[in-house]
Amino acid sequence: MALLTGNFTNTLDDKGRISLPSRLRSELPGSSLIIANGVDRCLWVYVPEEWDSLSRKIMDGTSPFYAQSRSVMRRIISTAQEIEIDKTGRIAIPASLRKYARLNSECIILAIQKYIESWDADEYKANLDAIEVELLAA
C-alpha cells in the first residue's frame, strides 16, 4: 500500500455512510477496512494488515493487570469493527463509533500515511484551535 496523505471534506449521509475520496480508495488494497475509536474524538481507519500490526503492538505492550493498559485495550482494541467498502466507495460507520466521534453531516477525512482519521468538522476545528494555542504557548 502506498503512503496515504491528504485532507478531505465529505458528507455523512442519513444512514451513517461516507464516501472515501477516490484518491484514497485507489490506494487501498482490498474492500474491507477496520474502524475503531481513536483519540481526540476521532475515528481511526486501517487496512486489515496495518490494524493487525497496530493491535499486536498494543497487546504486546499492555497488560490486563494495569489500569491504564486496560483502558487502552477497551478504548481502542475492543471498539474495532470490520467494515466493507461498497461498490460506490462508501463505508457505513457503525452507530456506536459515530456517537463516540460525534459525527454529524460535515466530516473531515485525514490520510496520515498508514491510517485514516475521520472527524466531525466542528470537533476537528476545535482540536486544531486547541493545538494552535499549545504551539503558541511553547
Side-chain angles (χ1 to χ4, degrees):
M1 181 177 81
L3 295 179
L4 304 174
T5 58
N7 183 326
F8 309 90
T9 302
N10 219 328
T11 303
L12 187 73
D13 72 15
D14 293 338
K15 295 181 181 179
R17 299 174 301 195
I18 193 166
S19 290
L20 292 173
S22 60
R23 190 169 83 68
L24 297 182
R25 281 195 319 262
S26 67
E27 299 296 330
L28 298 174
S31 62
S32 68
L33 297 167
I34 307 298
I35 187 168
N37 287 355
V39 294
D40 299 324
R41 288 280 179 198
C42 72
L43 300 176
W44 287 346
V45 182
Y46 284 86
V47 297
E49 297 77 22
E50 288 293 336
W51 175 257
D52 289 343
S53 175
L54 174 68
S55 62
R56 269 195 307 276
K57 287 177 187 172
I58 290 171
M59 295 306 294
D60 289 347
T62 57
S63 168
F65 296 105
Y66 296 101
Q68 187 174 16
S69 292
R70 288 191 307 273
S71 294
V72 168
M73 290 185 279
R74 289 175 184 150
R75 176 136 181 221
I76 297 171
I77 301 294
S78 72
T79 64
Q81 297 183 46
E82 185 171 8
I83 56 174
E84 295 294 320
I85 303 170
D86 72 14
K87 293 176 183 173
T88 62
R90 296 176 303 191
I91 56 172
I93 300 174
S96 60
L97 296 175
R98 289 194 316 264
K99 183 178 178 182
Y100 166 77
R102 300 177 182 155
L103 295 182
N104 290 304
S105 180
E106 188 178 356
C107 296
I108 305 296
I109 297 171
L110 303 175
I112 307 173
Q113 293 193 348
K114 294 184 178 184
Y115 74 104
I116 297 167
E117 289 184 350
S118 180
W119 288 82
D120 173 77
D122 292 335
E123 289 288 328
Y124 182 64
K125 183 182 180 326
N127 184 271
L128 284 180
D129 291 345
I131 290 170
E132 188 69 22
V133 169
E134 288 177 23
L135 291 174
L136 292 174

